[in-house]
Amino acid sequence: MSQTLPKLSHHLVDDAQYNLLRSVGYLTADERRDIIDACEFGDVAHIKDKRKSGEPYITHPIAVAEILAGFRLDRDTIIAAILHDTVEDTEVSYDEIEERYGSAVARLVDGVTKLKSSSHNKQQNKAATFHKILTATLADPRVLIIKLADRLHNMSTLDAVRPEKQRSTAQETLDFYVPFARLMGLNDIADYIEVLCYRNLDSEMYNKISDKLLQHGLGRSFQREAIHRYLTIVLNNLDLGGHVKVLDNRVVIYRQFFRNRGEINALLRHYAFEIVLDNIEACDKLAYYLIKKYQIDDENIADNIRRPLPGGNQSLTLIYERDNDVIKVTILTKQMQSAARLGVIGAEHASDVSQSVIQASLRNMKDLVDEDNLDENSPDFAAAVSTINELMDYLHSSKILCYSPTGQAYELPQGATALDFAYAVGPMVGNVATGATIDGQAAKLGTVVRDGQQITIEVDSHSEPKAEWLGFVVTNKAREEILRWFKDLSPGDKQRHGKQALDRALKTYQKDIEDLSASDWTNLLEWRGLSDKQDLFEQISSGTLLPQLVVSRLFSDEMGALQAQAQSDARAQPQQLIAGVAGVELDFANCCHPIYGDPIVGHLSRHGLVVHRHKCFSLDDIRKDNPYQVVQLRWRNDKAIQQNDTSEYSGKIRFSAYLKLSLVLSDEQISEVIYHLRQLNIGVEKIDVRSSDTVVHIIVRSRNHLAQGIRELRSLLGFPNIMRLYQL
């Protein structure tokens, strides 16, 4: 570092500036001078500000800039990081930054600046800020990496704040920033932040696994070196140029442990390696050798070279066992490795297929953001809350990627149908869709699609949307486009479409609309509180009533029980917690035991509507042969149940659930389990101690209630693995 650095306001600020300048040697001399100027400017702006720890505040943004320098980011990003809190916390204005450092820096600073309004609550302010960061990131992805580096530094220095604040910051980061970063392909920085989230969320659990990692550190190190040597020998024997790198897989171990996905001692025997080769042919050659040698089955092979992950990351991943160790090998080229570090920010260096996948994620998020929601001068805070709730659902949903015949990638939620794919391509395709070809096989529009499939949508320019489609589409985009099409119709056309939809639904019962008796119509109109058939048809085409449910109402075997149920206390039955099915005979499947909060679908059977978890294996054949018999369902939003309000629901809402504990409970432990679960108002029906595990039969109100019980038991019993059994 040839230039002499100016003295700033405090020796800690001088140190921070010195460390930053050591990290930006890759920039030009002029760019480094601008960075020194920004350090001085920021130091003066924040001169009165202190961190909770007592350090000068400017040390934080300079440290954030140093983190970004590790990614070799450009001059504008580094300066924006140094000044990222100035507009929010000091007298410095957007115009001053723009005049001094340029419009790009000013826009980046504005993108990470929080929105605050004294007339709105904390949730609305937070949602408006998230909305602004999302919108700014879609315009310039560097906004997100500045915010992530800011979070990384903040999360590593949370010791100075109170424990509740530590936990809330960690949860917010885990809920929003980490999945957002992964979707944008920024996995390196997301890994570091995720580990810090766990440290701040639950120090007891974090310390438990950290201590175990330390205890086994030497043995793990020896084992890593042995596997590394072996993989290097394999490369040499196959005459493949490249190198083997040991990966720090602690983030995966912490994640699996915190999410109750594995026993601690088994997780300690997991190792990860990255092998960088010259080209895709070399990747395939190595993968073929390892697959053959270790007899790796298909479920442990992920070819994300041809089919990149959401976020665009490409690699070929193999997982196999060797001497009781679980070894994960990620094989990729130099180009893939380079693109994987910066995701969307380095997208121009990625392959065409990777760029297509990144664009698929960006398209979905752009669809979520209505640009009118948040005007700079007059933000709509309520609209921001709605958008961010949708974004949270999207970020946390399992995603798949499907491809058009030309190789264009489309990102969909797991469980999406061919019709959802059609609407992802565009409303001009979805509205005239008649069928699909999936991997060369003819399929119905209601067929659930799977990751990596190639889909061709069959269209007919004379075809029109059908009201029953609303029963099986999964994506908001498809639903909104169908509803928009029907909304623009005349009342007469709406009635015609509703009548046709009901007639098609009746055909699944070998009936048609002419077969309905006067008493059938009386029953239906009384059920809906209507006076005319045409109003019923209009409800069907407006999306407020599914024709499938009308048929279920008419032809389920137990009409008497149905009518008795309709007159019962709406809050007293779990069935009444499902939205939009009042007056339809409904039962819960014993094959998967869904509980309030589980993602659910309904199967239209002769016995009425049967509620299943959306992943229930027993639906696979039904979806293949009669996909229109499976309809999307959702729970009624009930805060009292979500918050476990026992006063309102005591004894009324009861769901059975079954837990398998990976240890054999003693009599003393059984007594403790019963006592602690009852303290949480969780009923215990039976405890079955078996030769190598224990199954506990419990009664809960919701998925959240169940999760609370699992957390309590893990802490009580020394953090064993606890699995929910969906079928005994």
Side-chain angles (χ1 to χ4, degrees):
M1 215 167 30
S2 56
Q3 61 259 70
T4 304
L5 299 179
K7 285 286 182 188
L8 300 178
S9 62
H10 191 283
H11 70 90
L12 290 175
V13 185
D14 291 334
D15 290 345
Q17 178 184 230
Y18 176 75
N19 290 331
L20 172 59
L21 265 293
R22 282 172 63 94
S23 304
V24 293
Y26 59 91
L27 296 176
T28 67
D30 285 347
E31 289 171 332
R32 292 198 299 273
R33 274 192 289 275
D34 288 344
I35 287 167
I36 293 168
D37 183 75
C39 288
E40 283 191 276
F41 184 77
D43 189 32
V44 172
H46 285 290
I47 197 70
K48 297 176 184 175
D49 302 330
K50 293 280 189 288
R51 302 200 78 205
K52 295 278 187 189
S53 59
E55 296 171 335
Y57 188 84
I58 190 62
T59 58
H60 160 66
I62 294 176
V64 171
E66 188 185 347
I67 291 167
L68 295 174
F71 289 93
R72 299 179 73 85
L73 291 179
D74 58 38
R75 169 253 190 210
D76 291 349
T77 310
I78 302 297
I79 293 175
I82 297 166
L83 304 178
H84 77 265
D85 279 329
T86 51
V87 173
E88 185 179 325
D89 295 336
T90 76
E91 300 300 315
V92 172
S93 69
Y94 177 97
D95 291 340
E96 280 181 85
I97 293 176
E98 184 176 37
E99 185 180 341
R100 190 164 183 138
Y101 301 107
S103 58
V105 172
R107 281 196 304 272
L108 290 171
V109 171
D110 181 62
V112 295
T113 299
K114 288 179 185 173
L115 279 175
K116 291 179 183 174
S117 167
S118 57
S119 60
H120 293 88
N121 63 35
K122 192 174 180 181
Q123 183 201 18
Q124 289 173 323
N125 282 325
K126 187 178 289 186
T129 297
F130 284 171
H131 189 291
K132 185 180 181 187
I133 290 166
L134 170 63
T135 307
T137 297
L138 295 176
D140 188 336
R142 293 176 298 177
V143 167
L144 179 60
I145 202 165
I146 293 170
K147 195 64 191 175
L148 291 172
D150 177 38
R151 277 289 156 137
L152 176 56
H153 189 255
N154 276 331
M155 295 288 293
S156 65
T157 56
L158 275 180
D159 295 345
V161 304
R162 62 188 190 280
E164 315 86 79
K165 176 66 174 172
Q166 288 180 26
R167 283 191 291 273
S168 67
T169 302
Q171 193 64 59
E172 174 187 288
T173 306
L174 202 57
D175 287 345
F176 179 72
Y177 290 104
V178 170
F180 192 10
R182 295 205 184 284
L183 203 58
M184 296 289 94
L186 300 169
N187 287 299
D188 280 6
I189 195 165
D191 284 350
Y192 282 92
I193 296 171
E194 190 174 338
V195 170
L196 290 169
C197 286
Y198 298 135
R199 188 182 83 176
N200 288 286
L201 266 178
D202 189 328
S203 58
E204 184 189 358
M205 284 183 76
Y206 181 85
N207 291 336
K208 175 87 174 175
I209 195 157
S210 295
D211 289 348
K212 280 281 189 178
L213 283 165
L214 283 171
Q215 290 167 24
H216 294 264
L218 197 57
R220 279 174 54 80
S221 179
F222 285 149
Q223 191 65 345
R224 275 196 299 263
E225 287 172 18
I227 300 166
H228 183 276
R229 278 196 303 273
Y230 166 74
L231 290 172
T232 303
I233 290 167
V234 169
L235 285 191
N236 291 335
N237 289 346
L238 294 174
D239 198 24
L240 296 173
H243 66 273
V244 181
K245 177 186 174 186
V246 177
L247 292 180
D248 180 355
N249 68 331
R250 281 179 304 169
V251 67
V252 178
I253 293 173
Y254 281 108
R255 184 189 305 136
Q256 300 289 71
F257 182 62
F258 266 76
R259 293 185 181 177
N260 187 29
R261 300 279 169 80
E263 280 194 275
I264 193 165
N265 292 317
L267 290 171
L268 292 170
R269 301 191 70 88
H270 285 223
Y271 301 93
F273 299 84
E274 182 178 83
I275 302 179
V276 182
L277 301 173
D278 293 334
N279 51 53
I280 292 173
E281 290 73 25
C283 295
D284 289 339
K285 185 176 180 181
L286 175 60
Y288 179 75
Y289 174 84
L290 292 173
I291 290 167
K292 200 171 175 186
K293 180 172 177 62
Y294 292 104
Q295 298 295 297
I296 305 174
D297 54 33
D298 288 347
E299 67 181 28
N300 288 318
I301 304 167
D303 181 2
N304 299 124
I305 289 179
R306 260 69 49 163
R307 295 287 183 258
L309 293 164
N313 287 354
Q314 286 182 282
S315 65
L316 218 165
T317 305
L318 309 175
I319 298 173
Y320 62 92
E321 282 196 42
R322 178 174 180 256
D323 301 333
N324 296 318
D325 291 327
V326 176
I327 300 163
K328 180 179 179 181
V329 177
T330 301
I331 308 167
L332 70 174
T333 67
K334 291 186 181 76
Q335 182 194 20
M336 293 170 195
Q337 184 191 44
S338 173
R341 294 192 70 229
L342 285 173
V344 68
I345 291 171
E348 70 274 12
H349 304 302
S351 66
D352 290 345
V353 66
S354 180
Q355 287 191 48
S356 173
V357 169
I358 290 170
Q359 289 304 315
S361 296
L362 291 173
R363 272 198 310 273
N364 276 348
M365 281 189 285
K366 281 173 180 167
D367 285 341
L368 282 173
V369 179
D370 177 1
E371 296 297 340
D372 297 327
N373 272 358
L374 212 62
D375 175 43
E376 281 291 312
N377 303 313
S378 179
D380 183 343
F381 284 76
V385 171
S386 172
T387 301
I388 293 305
N389 285 338
E390 285 184 30
L391 175 68
M392 289 296 193
D393 289 343
Y394 167 68
L395 290 176
H396 291 276
S397 65
S398 298
K399 297 172 186 63
I400 61 171
L401 287 158
C402 295
Y403 296 82
S404 72
T406 59
Q408 176 79 46
Y410 293 90
E411 187 183 86
L412 296 166
Q414 203 165 51
T417 64
L419 186 57
D420 288 296
F421 179 86
Y423 277 104
V425 175
M428 299 303 288
V429 175
N431 286 344
V432 295
T434 57
T437 302
I438 301 175
D439 287 343
Q441 300 290 315
K444 296 175 181 176
L445 290 172
T447 304
V448 173
V449 296
R450 289 179 167 52
D451 191 43
Q453 288 182 326
Q454 185 187 95
I455 302 169
T456 303
I457 299 298
E458 312 297 336
V459 297
D460 179 343
S461 59
H462 300 296
S463 187
E464 296 173 325
K466 295 175 175 55
E468 61 266 33
W469 288 359
L470 292 164
F472 62 80
V473 289
V474 172
T475 59
N476 284 335
K477 181 175 183 180
R479 182 174 180 79
E480 285 165 9
E481 292 293 350
I482 296 166
L483 287 173
R484 185 177 291 124
W485 189 88
F486 278 110
K487 187 180 177 185
D488 292 338
L489 297 179
S490 67
D493 281 342
K494 287 178 183 174
Q495 291 158 15
R496 177 174 57 83
H497 276 276
K499 184 177 181 180
Q500 289 171 349
L502 180 55
D503 200 40
R504 284 190 296 269
L506 284 164
K507 283 182 169 50
T508 62
Y509 286 80
Q510 290 76 50
K511 305 259 186 189
D512 62 40
I513 210 158
E514 303 304 324
D515 294 326
L516 298 188
S517 66
S519 64
D520 288 335
W521 283 115
T522 301
N523 170 27
L524 290 176
L525 295 176
E526 284 180 358
W527 168 45
R528 300 304 296 179
L530 302 172
S531 57
D532 190 273
K533 292 179 191 178
Q534 304 307 321
D535 294 335
L536 185 89
F537 298 148
E538 206 163 329
Q539 280 196 351
I540 290 172
S541 63
S542 69
T544 56
L545 175 63
L546 291 175
Q548 296 97 317
L549 295 184
V550 177
V551 175
S552 185
R553 162 88 185 187
L554 284 169
F555 297 116
S556 62
D557 291 341
E558 300 173 31
M559 276 298 284
L562 164 68
Q563 286 159 355
Q565 176 188 307
Q567 294 163 4
S568 68
D569 176 8
R571 296 239 181 200
Q573 299 288 341
Q575 284 90 335
Q576 298 302 317
L577 291 172
I578 296 175
V581 296
V584 175
E585 178 65 19
L586 187 140
D587 203 358
F588 289 87
N590 289 322
C591 50
C592 56
H593 293 99
I595 63 178
Y596 181 86
D598 283 339
I600 51 171
V601 294
H603 171 221
L604 293 154
S605 75
R606 286 281 181 183
H607 305 290
L609 190 64
V610 183
V611 181
H612 294 256
R613 291 177 64 253
H614 79 301
K615 286 185 180 176
C616 181
F617 69 91
S618 69
L619 294 177
D620 289 350
D621 288 340
I622 295 166
R623 280 179 158 138
K624 194 183 301 177
D625 299 330
N626 298 293
Y628 300 164
Q629 287 185 7
V630 179
V631 296
Q632 298 299 314
L633 296 177
R634 59 185 176 82
W635 298 98
R636 190 161 50 79
N637 186 15
D638 201 301
K639 289 180 181 172
I641 297 179
Q642 290 168 352
Q643 294 165 6
N644 293 327
D645 183 340
T646 57
S647 60
E648 190 166 357
Y649 286 105
S650 181
K652 293 180 180 178
I653 302 302
R654 295 162 56 85
F655 293 98
S656 296
Y658 310 94
L659 300 178
K660 185 172 84 169
L661 284 59
S662 63
L663 75 170
V664 178
L665 293 183
S666 65
D667 289 344
E668 184 181 346
Q669 286 174 317
I670 289 172
S671 298
E672 287 185 321
V673 163
I674 293 171
Y675 173 77
H676 282 83
L677 288 178
R678 284 182 176 163
Q679 292 298 106
L680 297 173
N681 291 299
I682 293 175
V684 180
E685 288 195 318
K686 180 182 175 184
I687 295 184
D688 182 12
V689 180
R690 308 192 298 193
S691 59
S692 59
D693 55 42
T694 303
V695 176
V696 183
H697 300 223
I698 59 176
I699 299 293
V700 293
R701 281 185 304 277
S702 67
R703 187 182 174 100
N704 286 347
H705 197 198
L706 176 65
Q708 192 182 358
I710 291 172
R711 283 196 300 272
E712 180 72 18
L713 291 184
R714 291 192 77 210
S715 179
L716 173 70
L717 299 170
F719 303 103
N721 182 237
I722 300 177
M723 278 177 61
R724 177 180 167 193
L725 299 177
Y726 298 103
Q727 189 175 40
L728 285 175

